[in-house]
Amino acid sequence: DVKANGILDDATIEALKDVQKQAGVYVYGMLDFTTIKILDERFSNYLLGTGDAQYDKAVELLAQ
């Protein structure tokens, strides 16, 4: 759990490392352009409901 406090503290750095590791990019805990893009894509997918295997399969079945 990371509190939104506007500070890049230890908990935030660890969360960034987790995101970087999951995405398969260099893991060093800094908020670089690559990590920002990954976070932006994940947030967009969360908001729009894309990137979800069940959602994608449902859309596929409805399109048939």
Side-chain angles (χ1 to χ4, degrees):
D1 294 324
V2 177
K3 283 187 171 185
N5 59 9
I7 298 172
L8 190 62
D9 58 6
D10 291 338
T12 306
I13 291 171
E14 290 305 314
L16 286 172
K17 286 180 181 179
D18 287 342
V19 168
Q20 291 165 338
K21 183 177 179 181
Q22 291 171 7
V25 298
Y26 182 70
V27 177
Y28 68 111
M30 290 291 106
L31 190 58
D32 58 3
F33 289 116
T34 302
T35 307
I36 291 170
K37 182 179 177 188
I38 292 165
L39 291 170
D40 184 52
E41 288 173 359
R42 288 184 179 191
F43 186 65
S44 294
N45 289 342
Y46 173 77
L47 288 178
L48 301 174
T50 58
D52 179 352
Q54 291 176 334
Y55 174 83
D56 293 340
K57 185 65 176 180
V59 170
E60 177 188 327
L61 291 173
L62 290 172
Q64 294 179 0

